Amino acid sequence: MGFPLSHYCCFLCVIVLLPVLCKCEDAFTYSRATYYGTPDGLGTPTGACGFGEYGRSVNGGNVGAVSRLYRDGTGCGACYQVRCKMPNLCADVGMKVVVTDHGGGDDTDFILSRRGFSMLARPNKAADLFAYGVVGIEYRRVPCQYPGSNIFFKVHENSRFPDYLALVMLYQAGLSDITAVDIWQEDSQAWKGMRKSHGAVWDMPNPPKGPVSLRFQVSGRRGQKWVQLMNVIPSDWKAGVAYDSNFQLDY
């Protein structure tokens, strides 16, 4: 049984183009990386993303600052596979890093925590790698994975109940970016956009009274969509507290 020429052409395009598309999705970018020091080798709670303590310890402290990948804070929380290019010293798989800060220098795309930098090395080779200070790397974006964890909305420490509310999202899984956040105004029955304060922090003066309902725009490889979460933060919210959304992205 035959099939039309048009179907054959479509089939041929899939066979020819699919490997190309897969290769692009999995492609590595060449760059350089260095490291910064902290007393415990983990991240810093004062990173530009505004994550606080989460930015120090998430992903086991395998975190880092980025330069152009920061994207005015939109890149905060993104995950990358990073591996260095010195075969005798570097592990084949490399390590996964979570972006928690902004910084760059000496043509580097990543400034890793000391712990993260050591994860690039083969067993017993970390000291030799540290001696170089800056190493050639390749990297690609990979999905963030937080098994068993939902997204948390943390009320930033700068918030002042009830006059000023600032939020940052923690444990966001997947490959997507948060590009807008709205808050529901019950009195006007309308959504109002929050301001991007800095890094991953969104804020609003004079937020609505009562439980806080949010929607946020997710931008990923499959386009954009809005996620709506009603009454996700209680009416008596407190600065510094993180509230479980009971929701996780798979996007």
Side-chain angles (χ1 to χ4, degrees), residues 149-153 170-173 216 218 225-229 232 244-250:
S149 293
N150 299 316
I151 291 176
F152 275 71
F153 289 94
L170 312 180
Y171 300 109
Q172 177 193 333
F216 53 94
V218 181
K225 70 175 182 180
W226 284 92
V227 175
Q228 182 174 306
L229 299 173
V232 71
D244 190 341
S245 70
N246 294 313
F247 171 83
Q248 184 56 272
L249 285 170
D250 182 18

Side-chain angles (χ1 to χ4, degrees), residues 23 28 62 89 93 104 109 118 137-138 143-144 168 177-178 182 187 207 241 246:
K23 184 177 179 180
F28 282 86
N62 297 328
L89 298 179
V93 175
D109 271 312
S118 70
I137 61 161
E138 57 183 11
C144 293
V168 59
D177 299 322
I178 302 298
D182 293 350
D187 54 354
V241 176
N246 294 313

Side-chain angles (χ1 to χ4, degrees), residues 38-239:
T38 53
D40 55 11
L42 304 180
T44 170
T46 59
C49 290
F51 287 141
E53 182 64 20
Y54 171 90
R56 188 186 77 84
S57 57
V58 67
N59 193 39
N62 297 328
V63 299
V66 293
S67 51
R68 60 193 178 93
L69 297 173
Y70 183 72
R71 293 179 288 136
D72 196 29
T74 301
C76 288
C79 295
Y80 292 89
Q81 180 188 1
V82 179
R83 59 192 188 192
C84 61
K85 301 298 293 177
M86 303 174 69
N88 294 331
L89 298 179
C90 298
D92 294 335
V93 175
M95 52 84 72
K96 182 175 77 173
V97 59
V98 178
V99 174
T100 59
D101 204 353
H102 176 259
D106 200 14
D107 296 322
T108 59
D109 271 312
F110 289 89
I111 305 177
L112 304 173
S113 66
R114 188 175 179 88
R115 175 179 169 82
F117 196 82
S118 70
M119 297 291 287
L120 297 175
R122 292 184 180 275
N124 303 315
K125 295 293 184 180
D128 296 327
L129 201 62
F130 279 121
Y132 281 89
V134 180
V135 296
I137 61 161
E138 57 183 11
Y139 70 88
R140 63 180 176 183
R141 189 165 180 183
V142 295
C144 293
Q145 296 176 329
Y146 302 106
S149 293
N150 299 316
I151 291 176
F152 275 71
F153 289 94
K154 180 185 176 184
V155 179
H156 195 271
E157 288 81 359
N158 291 342
S159 300
R160 300 181 303 276
F161 182 84
D163 301 319
Y164 172 73
L165 176 62
L167 299 173
V168 59
M169 280 173 259
L170 312 180
Y171 300 109
Q172 177 193 333
L175 280 165
S176 56
D177 299 322
I178 302 298
T179 53
V181 180
D182 293 350
I183 195 166
W184 178 250
Q185 305 271 18
E186 185 66 29
D187 54 354
S188 61
Q189 293 289 292
W191 293 99
K192 182 177 180 180
M194 300 186 79
R195 179 181 72 107
K196 173 68 84 67
S197 170
H198 65 280
V201 181
W202 301 82
D203 69 354
M204 176 182 285
N206 302 312
K209 304 297 187 291
V212 179
S213 297
L214 298 166
R215 71 173 184 177
F216 53 94
Q217 187 178 59
V218 181
S219 178
R221 293 179 177 178
R222 300 200 298 269
Q224 294 182 339
K225 70 175 182 180
W226 284 92
V227 175
Q228 182 174 306
L229 299 173
M230 304 304 291
N231 300 331
V232 71
I233 298 173
S235 57
D236 59 345
W237 51 263
K238 295 176 175 59

